[in-house]
Amino acid sequence: MLQRAVLAAIVVLGLALRVAAAPYSTGSDIPQFAGFADTFLRHKACFYSFADLEHSEEEGWPYNWPYLYGPIWIYVLAALRLAAPGQVEYYWRGSNYYVYVERSWIVAVKSVLIAADTAVALLIYKLASRRNRRLGLVLAAAYYLNPMTIYISAIYGMFDQLALLPLLASLLYIDERPRLAGGLAGVSFMIKQTMGFPILALAMYAWRRRMFRVFAASLVAAAMATTVPLIVLCPASAPKIAELMTEAPKPDYTRPLVYSFNGVSSLATYLRDRCGCGESQGLDTLWMIKYWWIPLLVLASLLVPRLYREEDAAVAAALMYTVFTATYWRVNHQYLVPLVALLLLAAPRLGKRLVPVAAAIVAWVGFWPIAFPTSWWFHVHIKNPNLEAWRLVDRVTLMIFDEAFYVEYSLVLTALQYLLVLAATHKHVVEAYAALSRRLARRLAGLLPAGRE
């Protein structure tokens, strides 16, 4: 009874913080989401044929950003748009570009994000409580009261927690109901493709447990169920769906630096900008960014021996996702929400030596919204901002504007993730190579001629 009361208190506190901030703040993606939703309602099943950069101006989007996600999120946005058709204003005045969005649309979108965030916290509690209920309460609180998870769902407004929700549900069912787990993993991927990294780890886990075919078939079936209706109703959209969902931005300098969470990319950009050179001459540090896939392959290959033996699906998913956020050249702050959740679930089973590293990553992620001038989102896209909310956020944040700080921040974050992966894999790598050496030695011994008596 006491544990339920504590869980309820955690949810009430976290929900109160989110509800208090949600109506008075918004990031730049929420007005863009309105443009996406309007395009879907206008073109229905042919949405993806108009979801690229070429159509952004004629479709009336405030920003020249394409829709690169699976269809589930646009279904959600379209339904919300029918309920909240609030206007989005955007115009140039001199050299400044202004984008304003009505509060009804902000609240509509964030209501889904906050609901998903709350469900994620409850799932973390349920998953962790299998081992220890008190631990479940600690981990649920560490997620739901983390400043970054509050920031993403209730202040900025991005939907990674919605993609995370079915992934955690897949973790819940993977051992007993692999078919359901595969379907949930497919839903997670079709909300946001970044979930593909932990899903790959779950697929390896399913393969080891001899249930890969069931898991994979359900995953593919769920993915097809979300896209086939669009293709059937608008066959011309099929290649566009594939193109947009597999489109990856070309590695480049990561500006603005305050939103770059890969330390190598941040450092390369900072060095370039501080050299006093023009874009076409002088210090070239782009090589530090464009070969990001090399450390990705190195860390992933080091992780394989552990994944091959891993007995805990949450640990496998957490380590694979950490490889992604440690190495990908452009890590956005919303990518860190699944990182926080998965590391919290994995930490108790990573080993005592690694718990402090995982905890440090979670705490360091949570520090960013406190360091950042978060009140920016309380007025930049809101025509009549709430001054009291704006000033309150200024009082509780450090409002650090120095770009050098954010370079240092991202370097620490990246270093911690490398440390976690390397420390979690070195033992298994050594054992794997030792076993391989023994096999090679036995084979060589078999090839040599027998000695004379």
Side-chain angles (χ1 to χ4, degrees), residues 83-373:
Q87 185 180 3
V88 176
E89 296 181 48
Y90 55 96
Y91 53 86
W92 285 94
R93 181 179 293 167
S95 59
N96 296 318
Y97 185 59
Y98 297 90
V99 178
Y100 296 114
V101 58
E102 287 189 12
R103 189 163 282 125
S104 61
W105 177 244
I106 296 171
V107 171
V109 175
K110 288 185 179 178
S111 63
V112 173
L113 305 183
I114 291 171
D117 223 12
T118 307
V120 165
L122 294 175
L123 261 179
I124 289 173
Y125 170 74
K126 187 173 181 64
L127 283 161
S129 292
R130 289 172 161 181
R131 197 172 180 183
N132 185 304
R133 288 188 177 182
R134 290 183 180 178
L135 178 64
L137 291 173
V138 171
L139 298 186
Y143 173 84
Y144 202 52
L145 301 180
N146 187 292
M148 183 63 88
T149 64
I150 296 171
Y151 171 89
I152 295 299
S153 64
I155 296 175
Y156 187 84
M158 199 56 178
F159 62 100
D160 291 62
Q161 59 272 58
L162 187 64
L164 174 63
L165 181 58
L167 180 75
L168 295 188
S170 181
L171 285 173
L172 184 65
Y173 293 112
I174 193 166
D175 289 314
E176 294 84 15
R177 302 173 67 181
R179 182 172 284 104
L180 176 58
L184 290 165
V187 170
S188 176
F189 182 79
M190 296 309 290
I191 296 174
K192 198 160 189 182
Q193 299 93 302
T194 51
M195 293 296 101
F197 288 88
I199 289 171
L200 180 60
L202 295 188
M204 290 187 65
Y205 180 84
W207 178 72
R208 285 189 59 250
R209 296 298 180 100
R210 298 183 180 181
M211 54 187 183
F212 175 77
R213 289 184 179 180
V214 172
F215 180 88
S218 299
L219 189 155
V220 172
M224 291 180 63
T226 64
T227 53
V228 166
L230 297 177
I231 296 171
V232 169
L233 295 171
C234 185
S237 68
K240 207 65 182 177
I241 294 174
E243 177 188 332
L244 289 171
M245 285 195 64
T246 57
E247 182 177 323
K250 184 179 179 181
D252 200 355
Y253 295 111
T254 52
R255 303 181 183 99
L257 282 169
V258 294
Y259 303 127
S260 173
F261 292 84
N262 177 289
V264 177
S265 298
S266 295
L267 180 61
T269 304
Y270 185 78
L271 292 175
R272 172 68 175 181
D273 291 346
R274 293 291 171 174
C275 76
C277 313
E279 280 295 323
S280 60
Q281 60 183 355
L283 186 63
D284 179 14
T285 56
L286 191 58
W287 61 271
M288 296 171 64
I289 301 173
K290 68 181 180 180
Y291 296 113
W292 66 272
W293 51 271
I294 295 177
L296 170 68
L297 292 179
V298 170
L299 285 191
S301 64
L302 293 176
L303 186 57
V304 168
R306 170 141 194 176
L307 293 182
Y308 183 75
R309 300 182 181 185
E310 184 55 58
E311 297 296 330
D312 191 295
V315 172
L319 290 175
M320 182 61 85
Y321 193 79
T322 304
V323 168
F324 162 62
T325 53
T327 59
Y328 186 56
W329 72 275
R330 180 81 201 198
V331 178
N332 299 317
H333 46 29
Q334 59 265 27
Y335 298 173
L336 302 178
V337 169
L339 180 68
V340 168
L342 291 171
L343 284 183
L344 286 171
L345 284 172
R349 302 183 188 185
L350 281 172
K352 290 183 179 180
R353 292 182 299 115
L354 293 180
V355 169
V357 182
I361 293 172
V362 170
W364 193 239
V365 168
F367 178 64
W368 185 88
I370 297 172
F372 182 70

Side-chain angles (χ1 to χ4, degrees), residues 18-78:
R18 286 166 170 79
V19 170
Y24 308 114
S25 58
T26 179
S28 301
D29 284 279
I30 285 184
Q32 185 74 353
F33 290 157
F36 292 153
D38 290 339
T39 295
F40 181 84
L41 293 173
R42 189 178 302 119
H43 299 287
K44 307 296 190 297
C46 293
F47 164 74
Y48 278 94
S49 297
F50 300 87
D52 55 14
L53 295 178
E54 295 178 7
H55 295 86
S56 62
E57 187 173 349
E58 65 185 67
E59 288 299 319
W61 301 344
Y63 297 103
N64 192 29
W65 304 338
Y67 183 90
L68 301 177
Y69 318 110
I72 294 178
W73 180 233
I74 195 60
Y75 297 156
V76 173
L77 289 176

